[in-house]
Structure formats: structure tokens, C-alpha cells
Amino acid sequence: EPDVTIVSSLKDAVVAEGDDVTFRCQVSHENARDVEWKLQDVALQNNEMNEISVERGKVHTLTLRKVTEQDIGTVTFRVGPHTSTA
């Protein structure tokens, strides 16, 4: 299995309370396994508040819906041993 690396990293974002924010990270290969999103070191699941998806096979996205002050912190994307933070 090829080593999947991060091609384009996460970008920092500033949003108003109540807005949605989307983070994108592009990886080198499609169908990457061992992918994880975290907010403040807490693993995120796909649910009504966090939308996790993959666009065009390589662009992994995380949308945080209706953010609050409690959502302030570091977002981390990890694929295998590689990480990107914003």
C-alpha cells in the first residue's frame, strides 16, 4: 500500500459564533485509510454538528456547524504518520 502524504495543508480560519467553518486537506492518494480529524485533541465523528467527507477522492473536508466559543482551538487532520493543524 502506498504511503499517503499530505499534499495541501489545513488553513487557519476565523469565523463568527453561529457560523459554519470548513477545513480542507488534500492527500496524495485516493481512498486513504487511517484518516482522523480532531478538535482540541478530541476525535471527531460524522454527525449533525461535524460533517466529514471526501471530495474527488483526495480532498478530505471537515465542516463544523454553528460553531460556539467552545469550538475555539486546534483542528488536526491525520493520515497515517502525517498531520496538519490549523
Side-chain angles (χ1 to χ4, degrees):
E1 192 169 306
D3 183 33
V4 178
T5 60
I6 294 172
V7 176
S8 75
S9 298
L10 297 176
K11 307 266 189 298
D12 290 343
V14 177
V15 292
E17 193 166 18
D19 286 350
D20 296 350
V21 61
T22 299
F23 296 92
R24 288 182 177 80
C25 200
Q26 184 174 345
V27 297
S28 58
H29 295 81
E30 290 188 8
N31 305 319
R33 286 191 232 136
D34 194 22
V35 170
E36 182 178 49
W37 286 97
K38 288 184 174 181
L39 175 60
Q40 304 165 6
D41 284 330
V42 176
L44 299 176
Q45 304 299 320
N46 198 18
N47 59 36
E48 67 277 355
M49 296 308 291
N50 312 313
E51 184 183 322
I52 297 170
S53 61
V54 180
E55 299 170 356
R56 296 186 300 280
K58 295 182 183 178
V59 180
H60 292 257
T61 65
L62 165 67
T63 299
L64 302 176
R65 303 230 176 267
K66 297 182 176 67
V67 296
T68 67
E69 207 173 281
Q70 285 74 41
D71 295 319
I72 292 172
T74 302
V75 171
T76 304
F77 173 81
R78 180 186 61 77
V79 57
H82 307 285
T83 61
S84 177
T85 59

